[in-house]
PDB file of all heavy atoms in Angstrom:
ATOM      1  N   ALA A 108     127.505 255.192  22.959  1.00 97.00           N
ATOM      2  CA  ALA A 108     127.606 256.552  23.452  1.00 97.00           C
ATOM      3  C   ALA A 108     126.603 257.423  22.706  1.00 97.00           C
ATOM      4  O   ALA A 108     126.190 257.092  21.588  1.00 97.00           O
ATOM      5  CB  ALA A 108     129.019 257.085  23.263  1.00 97.00           C
ATOM      6  N   PRO A 109     126.201 258.555  23.288  1.00 92.00           N
ATOM      7  CA  PRO A 109     125.251 259.443  22.619  1.00 92.00           C
ATOM      8  C   PRO A 109     125.732 259.852  21.232  1.00 92.00           C
ATOM      9  O   PRO A 109     126.878 260.269  21.058  1.00 92.00           O
ATOM     10  CB  PRO A 109     125.177 260.646  23.557  1.00 92.00           C
ATOM     11  CG  PRO A 109     125.501 260.089  24.904  1.00 92.00           C
ATOM     12  CD  PRO A 109     126.551 259.044  24.639  1.00 92.00           C
ATOM     13  N   GLY A 110     124.865 259.709  20.237  1.00 94.00           N
ATOM     14  CA  GLY A 110     125.194 260.093  18.882  1.00 94.00           C
ATOM     15  C   GLY A 110     126.064 259.109  18.130  1.00 94.00           C
ATOM     16  O   GLY A 110     126.443 259.379  16.984  1.00 94.00           O
ATOM     17  N   LYS A 111     126.389 257.977  18.742  1.00 96.00           N
ATOM     18  CA  LYS A 111     127.236 256.992  18.098  1.00 96.00           C
ATOM     19  C   LYS A 111     126.517 255.653  17.980  1.00 96.00           C
ATOM     20  O   LYS A 111     125.540 255.392  18.681  1.00 96.00           O
ATOM     21  CB  LYS A 111     128.544 256.802  18.873  1.00 96.00           C
ATOM     22  CG  LYS A 111     129.434 258.035  18.896  1.00 96.00           C
ATOM     23  CD  LYS A 111     130.754 257.729  19.567  1.00 96.00           C
ATOM     24  CE  LYS A 111     131.683 258.930  19.539  1.00 96.00           C
ATOM     25  NZ  LYS A 111     132.990 258.623  20.180  1.00 96.00           N
ATOM     26  N   GLN A 112     127.007 254.810  17.075  1.00 96.00           N
ATOM     27  CA  GLN A 112     126.441 253.486  16.895  1.00 96.00           C
ATOM     28  C   GLN A 112     126.929 252.544  17.986  1.00 96.00           C
ATOM     29  O   GLN A 112     127.997 252.735  18.564  1.00 96.00           O
ATOM     30  CB  GLN A 112     126.815 252.927  15.520  1.00 96.00           C
ATOM     31  CG  GLN A 112     126.276 253.715  14.349  1.00 96.00           C
ATOM     32  CD  GLN A 112     126.528 253.025  13.032  1.00 96.00           C
ATOM     33  OE1 GLN A 112     126.156 251.857  12.858  1.00 96.00           O
ATOM     34  NE2 GLN A 112     127.150 253.731  12.116  1.00 96.00           N
ATOM     35  N   ARG A 113     126.118 251.536  18.248  1.00 95.00           N
ATOM     36  CA  ARG A 113     126.504 250.533  19.223  1.00 95.00           C
ATOM     37  C   ARG A 113     127.695 249.733  18.697  1.00 95.00           C
ATOM     38  O   ARG A 113     127.709 249.314  17.535  1.00 95.00           O
ATOM     39  CB  ARG A 113     125.317 249.611  19.502  1.00 95.00           C
ATOM     40  CG  ARG A 113     125.515 248.672  20.670  1.00 95.00           C
ATOM     41  CD  ARG A 113     124.213 247.951  21.019  1.00 95.00           C
ATOM     42  NE  ARG A 113     123.172 248.885  21.423  1.00 95.00           N
ATOM     43  CZ  ARG A 113     121.985 248.521  21.886  1.00 95.00           C
ATOM     44  NH1 ARG A 113     121.689 247.235  22.007  1.00 95.00           N
ATOM     45  NH2 ARG A 113     121.097 249.436  22.217  1.00 95.00           N
ATOM     46  N   GLU A 114     128.688 249.520  19.544  1.00 96.00           N
ATOM     47  CA  GLU A 114     129.887 248.817  19.131  1.00 96.00           C
ATOM     48  C   GLU A 114     130.213 247.674  20.083  1.00 96.00           C
ATOM     49  O   GLU A 114     129.989 247.757  21.290  1.00 96.00           O
ATOM     50  CB  GLU A 114     131.082 249.773  19.049  1.00 96.00           C
ATOM     51  CG  GLU A 114     131.466 250.412  20.374  1.00 96.00           C
ATOM     52  CD  GLU A 114     132.725 251.249  20.295  1.00 96.00           C
ATOM     53  OE1 GLU A 114     133.508 251.069  19.336  1.00 96.00           O
ATOM     54  OE2 GLU A 114     132.937 252.088  21.200  1.00 96.00           O
ATOM     55  N   LEU A 115     130.759 246.620  19.523  1.00 96.00           N
ATOM     56  CA  LEU A 115     131.191 245.467  20.305  1.00 96.00           C
ATOM     57  C   LEU A 115     132.537 245.779  20.938  1.00 96.00           C
ATOM     58  O   LEU A 115     133.475 246.172  20.248  1.00 96.00           O
ATOM     59  CB  LEU A 115     131.307 244.236  19.411  1.00 96.00           C
ATOM     60  CG  LEU A 115     131.804 242.945  20.060  1.00 96.00           C
ATOM     61  CD1 LEU A 115     130.794 242.427  21.083  1.00 96.00           C
ATOM     62  CD2 LEU A 115     132.073 241.886  18.990  1.00 96.00           C
ATOM     63  N   VAL A 116     132.639 245.585  22.251  1.00 97.00           N
ATOM     64  CA  VAL A 116     133.895 245.864  22.937  1.00 97.00           C
ATOM     65  C   VAL A 116     134.594 244.604  23.424  1.00 97.00           C
ATOM     66  O   VAL A 116     135.818 244.593  23.556  1.00 97.00           O
ATOM     67  CB  VAL A 116     133.709 246.847  24.109  1.00 97.00           C
ATOM     68  CG1 VAL A 116     133.206 248.194  23.598  1.00 97.00           C
ATOM     69  CG2 VAL A 116     132.751 246.291  25.154  1.00 97.00           C
ATOM     70  N   ALA A 117     133.845 243.537  23.692  1.00 97.00           N
ATOM     71  CA  ALA A 117     134.452 242.301  24.179  1.00 97.00           C
ATOM     72  C   ALA A 117     133.505 241.134  23.979  1.00 97.00           C
ATOM     73  O   ALA A 117     132.285 241.308  24.004  1.00 97.00           O
ATOM     74  CB  ALA A 117     134.821 242.414  25.660  1.00 97.00           C
ATOM     75  N   LEU A 118     134.062 239.939  23.779  1.00 95.00           N
ATOM     76  CA  LEU A 118     133.244 238.742  23.660  1.00 95.00           C
ATOM     77  C   LEU A 118     133.944 237.568  24.308  1.00 95.00           C
ATOM     78  O   LEU A 118     135.167 237.548  24.453  1.00 95.00           O
ATOM     79  CB  LEU A 118     132.930 238.421  22.189  1.00 95.00           C
ATOM     80  CG  LEU A 118     134.084 237.982  21.281  1.00 95.00           C
ATOM     81  CD1 LEU A 118     134.258 236.457  21.311  1.00 95.00           C
ATOM     82  CD2 LEU A 118     133.850 238.440  19.853  1.00 95.00           C
ATOM     83  N   ILE A 119     133.143 236.585  24.694  1.00 95.00           N
ATOM     84  CA  ILE A 119     133.682 235.352  25.249  1.00 95.00           C
ATOM     85  C   ILE A 119     132.869 234.192  24.703  1.00 95.00           C
ATOM     86  O   ILE A 119     131.641 234.248  24.659  1.00 95.00           O
ATOM     87  CB  ILE A 119     133.686 235.376  26.794  1.00 95.00           C
ATOM     88  CG1 ILE A 119     134.380 234.134  27.349  1.00 95.00           C
ATOM     89  CG2 ILE A 119     132.273 235.520  27.360  1.00 95.00           C
ATOM     90  CD1 ILE A 119     134.716 234.249  28.830  1.00 95.00           C
ATOM     91  N   THR A 120     133.544 233.129  24.267  1.00 92.00           N
ATOM     92  CA  THR A 120     132.874 231.967  23.699  1.00 92.00           C
ATOM     93  C   THR A 120     132.584 230.942  24.782  1.00 92.00           C
ATOM     94  O   THR A 120     133.036 231.054  25.917  1.00 92.00           O
ATOM     95  CB  THR A 120     133.729 231.321  22.604  1.00 92.00           C
ATOM     96  OG1 THR A 120     134.881 230.709  23.205  1.00 92.00           O
ATOM     97  CG2 THR A 120     134.175 232.346  21.578  1.00 92.00           C
ATOM     98  N   ALA A 121     131.835 229.898  24.412  1.00 87.00           N
ATOM     99  CA  ALA A 121     131.545 228.816  25.344  1.00 87.00           C
ATOM    100  C   ALA A 121     132.820 228.120  25.795  1.00 87.00           C
ATOM    101  O   ALA A 121     132.868 227.564  26.894  1.00 87.00           O
ATOM    102  CB  ALA A 121     130.589 227.808  24.708  1.00 87.00           C
ATOM    103  N   GLY A 122     133.843 228.153  24.951  1.00 88.00           N
ATOM    104  CA  GLY A 122     135.130 227.578  25.298  1.00 88.00           C
ATOM    105  C   GLY A 122     136.053 228.550  26.000  1.00 88.00           C
ATOM    106  O   GLY A 122     137.230 228.245  26.192  1.00 88.00           O
ATOM    107  N   SER A 123     135.540 229.716  26.352  1.00 89.00           N
ATOM    108  CA  SER A 123     136.255 230.749  27.110  1.00 89.00           C
ATOM    109  C   SER A 123     137.332 231.463  26.312  1.00 89.00           C
ATOM    110  O   SER A 123     138.219 232.096  26.891  1.00 89.00           O
ATOM    111  CB  SER A 123     136.850 230.171  28.399  1.00 89.00           C
ATOM    112  OG  SER A 123     135.831 229.722  29.268  1.00 89.00           O
ATOM    113  N   SER A 124     137.271 231.394  24.989  1.00 93.00           N
ATOM    114  CA  SER A 124     138.129 232.240  24.174  1.00 93.00           C
ATOM    115  C   SER A 124     137.587 233.665  24.217  1.00 93.00           C
ATOM    116  O   SER A 124     136.373 233.866  24.267  1.00 93.00           O
ATOM    117  CB  SER A 124     138.176 231.749  22.733  1.00 93.00           C
ATOM    118  OG  SER A 124     138.771 230.466  22.658  1.00 93.00           O
ATOM    119  N   THR A 125     138.466 234.645  24.183  1.00 95.00           N
ATOM    120  CA  THR A 125     138.047 236.042  24.288  1.00 95.00           C
ATOM    121  C   THR A 125     138.631 236.887  23.173  1.00 95.00           C
ATOM    122  O   THR A 125     139.687 236.573  22.611  1.00 95.00           O
ATOM    123  CB  THR A 125     138.465 236.651  25.636  1.00 95.00           C
ATOM    124  OG1 THR A 125     139.893 236.574  25.766  1.00 95.00           O
ATOM    125  CG2 THR A 125     137.826 235.895  26.790  1.00 95.00           C
ATOM    126  N   ASN A 126     137.933 237.967  22.854  1.00 95.00           N
ATOM    127  CA  ASN A 126     138.416 238.960  21.909  1.00 95.00           C
ATOM    128  C   ASN A 126     137.964 240.330  22.367  1.00 95.00           C
ATOM    129  O   ASN A 126     136.914 240.470  22.998  1.00 95.00           O
ATOM    130  CB  ASN A 126     137.902 238.682  20.491  1.00 95.00           C
ATOM    131  CG  ASN A 126     138.669 237.590  19.791  1.00 95.00           C
ATOM    132  OD1 ASN A 126     139.833 237.765  19.440  1.00 95.00           O
ATOM    133  ND2 ASN A 126     138.021 236.445  19.587  1.00 95.00           N
ATOM    134  N   TYR A 127     138.767 241.346  22.028  1.00 96.00           N
ATOM    135  CA  TYR A 127     138.499 242.703  22.478  1.00 96.00           C
ATOM    136  C   TYR A 127     138.668 243.700  21.344  1.00 96.00           C
ATOM    137  O   TYR A 127     139.481 243.502  20.432  1.00 96.00           O
ATOM    138  CB  TYR A 127     139.455 243.098  23.605  1.00 96.00           C
ATOM    139  CG  TYR A 127     139.373 242.212  24.816  1.00 96.00           C
ATOM    140  CD1 TYR A 127     140.180 241.086  24.937  1.00 96.00           C
ATOM    141  CD2 TYR A 127     138.485 242.500  25.852  1.00 96.00           C
ATOM    142  CE1 TYR A 127     140.103 240.269  26.048  1.00 96.00           C
ATOM    143  CE2 TYR A 127     138.406 241.688  26.970  1.00 96.00           C
ATOM    144  CZ  TYR A 127     139.219 240.574  27.059  1.00 96.00           C
ATOM    145  OH  TYR A 127     139.135 239.768  28.168  1.00 96.00           O
ATOM    146  N   ALA A 128     137.910 244.778  21.428  1.00 96.00           N
ATOM    147  CA  ALA A 128     138.138 245.891  20.532  1.00 96.00           C
ATOM    148  C   ALA A 128     139.496 246.509  20.844  1.00 96.00           C
ATOM    149  O   ALA A 128     139.943 246.506  21.992  1.00 96.00           O
ATOM    150  CB  ALA A 128     137.036 246.935  20.686  1.00 96.00           C
ATOM    151  N   ASP A 129     140.155 247.043  19.823  1.00 97.00           N
ATOM    152  CA  ASP A 129     141.478 247.621  20.022  1.00 97.00           C
ATOM    153  C   ASP A 129     141.474 248.722  21.079  1.00 97.00           C
ATOM    154  O   ASP A 129     142.458 248.893  21.807  1.00 97.00           O
ATOM    155  CB  ASP A 129     142.015 248.184  18.708  1.00 97.00           C
ATOM    156  CG  ASP A 129     142.410 247.096  17.726  1.00 97.00           C
ATOM    157  OD1 ASP A 129     142.624 245.946  18.152  1.00 97.00           O
ATOM    158  OD2 ASP A 129     142.516 247.403  16.523  1.00 97.00           O
ATOM    159  N   SER A 130     140.388 249.445  21.175  1.00 97.00           N
ATOM    160  CA  SER A 130     140.317 250.573  22.091  1.00 97.00           C
ATOM    161  C   SER A 130     140.321 250.173  23.562  1.00 97.00           C
ATOM    162  O   SER A 130     140.585 251.013  24.429  1.00 97.00           O
ATOM    163  CB  SER A 130     139.068 251.414  21.798  1.00 97.00           C
ATOM    164  OG  SER A 130     137.893 250.635  21.936  1.00 97.00           O
ATOM    165  N   VAL A 131     140.040 248.900  23.857  1.00 98.00           N
ATOM    166  CA  VAL A 131     139.966 248.465  25.251  1.00 98.00           C
ATOM    167  C   VAL A 131     140.972 247.382  25.595  1.00 98.00           C
ATOM    168  O   VAL A 131     141.055 246.973  26.763  1.00 98.00           O
ATOM    169  CB  VAL A 131     138.545 247.988  25.626  1.00 98.00           C
ATOM    170  CG1 VAL A 131     137.517 249.052  25.290  1.00 98.00           C
ATOM    171  CG2 VAL A 131     138.209 246.674  24.930  1.00 98.00           C
ATOM    172  N   LYS A 132     141.751 246.915  24.629  1.00 98.00           N
ATOM    173  CA  LYS A 132     142.733 245.871  24.889  1.00 98.00           C
ATOM    174  C   LYS A 132     143.718 246.309  25.968  1.00 98.00           C
ATOM    175  O   LYS A 132     144.224 247.424  25.947  1.00 98.00           O
ATOM    176  CB  LYS A 132     143.493 245.521  23.614  1.00 98.00           C
ATOM    177  CG  LYS A 132     142.707 244.685  22.632  1.00 98.00           C
ATOM    178  CD  LYS A 132     143.541 244.345  21.402  1.00 98.00           C
ATOM    179  CE  LYS A 132     142.757 243.489  20.427  1.00 98.00           C
ATOM    180  NZ  LYS A 132     143.538 243.194  19.201  1.00 98.00           N
ATOM    181  N   GLY A 133     143.965 245.406  26.891  1.00 98.00           N
ATOM    182  CA  GLY A 133     144.877 245.702  27.982  1.00 98.00           C
ATOM    183  C   GLY A 133     144.232 246.405  29.152  1.00 98.00           C
ATOM    184  O   GLY A 133     144.850 246.527  30.216  1.00 98.00           O
ATOM    185  N   ARG A 134     143.003 246.881  28.981  1.00 98.00           N
ATOM    186  CA  ARG A 134     142.297 247.588  30.048  1.00 98.00           C
ATOM    187  C   ARG A 134     141.057 246.846  30.534  1.00 98.00           C
ATOM    188  O   ARG A 134     140.734 246.887  31.717  1.00 98.00           O
ATOM    189  CB  ARG A 134     141.894 248.989  29.586  1.00 98.00           C
ATOM    190  CG  ARG A 134     143.073 249.868  29.182  1.00 98.00           C
ATOM    191  CD  ARG A 134     142.640 251.310  28.937  1.00 98.00           C
ATOM    192  NE  ARG A 134     141.687 251.414  27.835  1.00 98.00           N
ATOM    193  CZ  ARG A 134     140.450 251.889  27.952  1.00 98.00           C
ATOM    194  NH1 ARG A 134     140.004 252.312  29.130  1.00 98.00           N
ATOM    195  NH2 ARG A 134     139.656 251.960  26.891  1.00 98.00           N
ATOM    196  N   PHE A 135     140.346 246.192  29.617  1.00 98.00           N
ATOM    197  CA  PHE A 135     139.111 245.479  29.949  1.00 98.00           C
ATOM    198  C   PHE A 135     139.361 243.975  29.919  1.00 98.00           C
ATOM    199  O   PHE A 135     140.144 243.476  29.105  1.00 98.00           O
ATOM    200  CB  PHE A 135     138.005 245.801  28.953  1.00 98.00           C
ATOM    201  CG  PHE A 135     137.467 247.204  29.019  1.00 98.00           C
ATOM    202  CD1 PHE A 135     138.082 248.190  29.767  1.00 98.00           C
ATOM    203  CD2 PHE A 135     136.316 247.531  28.314  1.00 98.00           C
ATOM    204  CE1 PHE A 135     137.589 249.481  29.822  1.00 98.00           C
ATOM    205  CE2 PHE A 135     135.801 248.814  28.357  1.00 98.00           C
ATOM    206  CZ  PHE A 135     136.440 249.791  29.108  1.00 98.00           C
ATOM    207  N   THR A 136     138.658 243.248  30.782  1.00 98.00           N
ATOM    208  CA  THR A 136     138.728 241.800  30.806  1.00 98.00           C
ATOM    209  C   THR A 136     137.324 241.222  30.916  1.00 98.00           C
ATOM    210  O   THR A 136     136.585 241.562  31.838  1.00 98.00           O
ATOM    211  CB  THR A 136     139.578 241.290  31.981  1.00 98.00           C
ATOM    212  OG1 THR A 136     140.894 241.842  31.908  1.00 98.00           O
ATOM    213  CG2 THR A 136     139.682 239.769  31.937  1.00 98.00           C
ATOM    214  N   ILE A 137     136.958 240.350  29.977  1.00 98.00           N
ATOM    215  CA  ILE A 137     135.670 239.675  30.030  1.00 98.00           C
ATOM    216  C   ILE A 137     135.874 238.277  30.609  1.00 98.00           C
ATOM    217  O   ILE A 137     136.874 237.608  30.312  1.00 98.00           O
ATOM    218  CB  ILE A 137     135.008 239.609  28.638  1.00 98.00           C
ATOM    219  CG1 ILE A 137     133.577 239.066  28.742  1.00 98.00           C
ATOM    220  CG2 ILE A 137     135.831 238.788  27.657  1.00 98.00           C
ATOM    221  CD1 ILE A 137     132.790 239.189  27.443  1.00 98.00           C
ATOM    222  N   SER A 138     134.955 237.836  31.438  1.00 97.00           N
ATOM    223  CA  SER A 138     135.040 236.515  32.048  1.00 97.00           C
ATOM    224  C   SER A 138     133.641 235.976  32.299  1.00 97.00           C
ATOM    225  O   SER A 138     132.651 236.708  32.165  1.00 97.00           O
ATOM    226  CB  SER A 138     135.845 236.561  33.353  1.00 97.00           C
ATOM    227  OG  SER A 138     135.211 237.392  34.302  1.00 97.00           O
ATOM    228  N   ARG A 139     133.558 234.714  32.658  1.00 94.00           N
ATOM    229  CA  ARG A 139     132.261 234.100  32.913  1.00 94.00           C
ATOM    230  C   ARG A 139     132.329 233.187  34.118  1.00 94.00           C
ATOM    231  O   ARG A 139     133.372 232.598  34.424  1.00 94.00           O
ATOM    232  CB  ARG A 139     131.770 233.327  31.679  1.00 94.00           C
ATOM    233  CG  ARG A 139     132.664 232.155  31.282  1.00 94.00           C
ATOM    234  CD  ARG A 139     132.372 231.678  29.871  1.00 94.00           C
ATOM    235  NE  ARG A 139     131.002 231.225  29.714  1.00 94.00           N
ATOM    236  CZ  ARG A 139     130.429 230.975  28.544  1.00 94.00           C
ATOM    237  NH1 ARG A 139     131.121 231.155  27.416  1.00 94.00           N
ATOM    238  NH2 ARG A 139     129.176 230.557  28.498  1.00 94.00           N
TER     239      ARG A 139
END
């Protein structure tokens, strides 16, 4: 966001494990 540092919000591994930032848990879903 403007004036803020880049932050990680979601990730997915080759094995399809996922992790989310607390601010987006339950709202965002990462998939491949």
Side-chain angles (χ1 to χ4, degrees):
K111 295 185 177 181
Q112 297 187 54
R113 190 171 298 186
E114 63 175 341
L115 178 66
V116 298
L118 68 90
I119 186 166
T120 69
S123 296
S124 296
T125 59
N126 281 291
Y127 301 91
D129 288 341
S130 59
V131 306
K132 285 181 179 178
R134 300 189 298 119
F135 291 10
T136 303
I137 188 171
S138 62
R139 63 196 300 168

